Amino acid sequence: MIASVGRAAAVAVAVAALIGAGLFGGTAAAQDRRQNEPGQFDFYVLSLSWSPSYCEAAAERRTRNDNGRPDPQCGARPFSFVVHGLWPQYDRGFPEFCQVPAPRLNREIVSAMLDLMPSPRLVFHEWDRHGVCSGLGARGYFEAVRKARAVVKIPEAYLEPEATLTVTPDEVEEAFVKANPGLDRSGIAVGCNRNRLTEIRICLTRELGFRDCPEVDRRACRRDKLAMPPVRGG
C-alpha cells in the first residue's frame, strides 16, 4: 500500500510539473479539447513489442527491476511479440494519466495478464498511464487488451525465428497486412531504435476493428534495414 501511494504521488508530481512548465498540459490541450477526459478518445493503438530486441537492449544497459532481479520478460521463458499496451488515441495526439492517482489494480488482474504482458511493472504502468483513459474499469480494460491482441495474427515468419532476421519496415508491414485481412498499410507502423525492430503499432477502432491512422503512420521507422534478434533459446 505504501509503495502504491508513493508511486501515485510520484506520477502526480511529474504531471503537475509538466503542466506547470507548459510541456504537457498546454501542448496536449492544443491537440484535442477532450484532453485527458476518461473515455473520450477516437481509436486505440495496440503496441506489440519485439521481446528479443527489448531484452538485448536491456542487457546492454544492464537494466534491472526494483528488486535487483532481471526483468521477468527476459528470463528463461522465451517471448516473441508481447503486448506493450493498448493506448487510447485522438486523431491528433493522445491522452495519458487521465486519473491521478489511478484506481488500484487487483493483483489477480495483474497475474492474469502475464501471458501477454510478461512483467507486473509493465501491467501497472500501462494501467496508470493509458488504461484509465479508456473510461473502462480495470477488468474491462484488460479484457479489451486481450481481445485486441486476439484480433491480430502474427505472420508465421515472426512467430519463433531461430536466427536473427534482417528486415525492412516495408517488408514487415506487408507481412502483417497479408496475414490480417482488413488491415491496411496506413493502419500499421513499425518502431525501431538504431538498428533493431522494437515494436509494431496497429490502429484499431473502439470496437477493435482495423482502421487507418495517418498520424501514427507518419511516426513510423524510416530506416532501410533492421535486425530482429531470434527468440531466446532458438
Side-chain angles (χ1 to χ4, degrees):
M1 181 63 181
I2 292 174
S4 177
V5 172
R7 178 164 53 87
V11 170
V13 169
V15 173
L18 288 169
I19 291 173
L23 299 175
F24 180 87
T27 301
Q31 293 176 337
D32 196 284
R33 59 181 174 75
R34 302 163 294 176
Q35 188 67 38
N36 300 338
E37 294 182 22
Q40 299 298 309
F41 63 96
D42 298 312
F43 65 100
Y44 286 112
V45 165
L46 175 67
S47 175
L48 299 176
S49 172
W50 183 244
S51 181
S53 290
Y54 170 82
C55 291
E56 282 198 3
E60 291 168 358
R61 296 190 305 268
R62 299 182 182 276
T63 299
R64 301 283 175 169
N65 62 17
D66 289 341
N67 56 21
R69 295 195 300 265
D71 190 301
Q73 184 179 160
C74 305
R77 180 180 174 184
F79 290 99
S80 49
F81 277 111
V82 300
V83 174
H84 181 177
L86 182 66
W87 305 333
Q89 302 280 298
Y90 306 128
D91 287 325
R92 180 170 178 240
F94 54 89
E96 57 183 349
F97 299 115
C98 295
Q99 188 174 346
V100 179
R104 189 179 181 187
L105 270 184
N106 185 310
R107 288 281 178 178
E108 292 181 2
I109 294 177
V110 177
S111 297
M113 293 305 299
L114 295 181
D115 61 324
L116 298 184
M117 305 172 72
S119 166
R121 173 191 278 185
L122 174 62
V123 177
F124 280 113
H125 173 78
E126 291 301 305
W127 169 244
D128 288 354
R129 183 171 184 177
H130 301 288
V132 293
C133 295
S134 69
L136 301 171
R139 194 169 299 279
Y141 172 70
F142 286 106
E143 286 176 356
V145 171
R146 190 168 293 280
K147 289 177 182 178
R149 175 61 187 85
V151 165
V152 177
K153 181 178 180 180
I154 305 299
E156 186 174 352
Y158 308 144
L159 289 175
E160 293 184 353
E162 297 181 354
T164 297
L165 302 177
T166 300
V167 298
T168 68
D170 281 348
E171 288 172 347
V172 175
E173 286 192 6
E174 187 61 26
F176 271 84
V177 167
K178 286 183 178 179
N180 293 275
L183 176 63
D184 189 80
R185 291 284 294 270
S186 60
I188 179 174
V190 173
C192 64
N193 56 19
R194 288 183 302 172
N195 59 352
R196 297 187 189 99
L197 183 144
T198 56
E199 67 181 355
I200 304 294
R201 296 182 178 184
I202 296 176
C203 299
L204 302 170
T205 66
R206 293 181 60 132
E207 295 74 34
L208 304 181
F210 296 122
R211 61 155 281 170
D212 296 346
C213 48
E215 185 179 75
V216 174
D217 188 50
R218 280 195 295 270
R219 297 197 298 268
C221 177
R222 303 302 178 193
R223 294 190 176 276
D224 291 335
K225 291 187 178 181
L226 299 170
M228 290 182 69
V231 170
R232 292 178 303 285

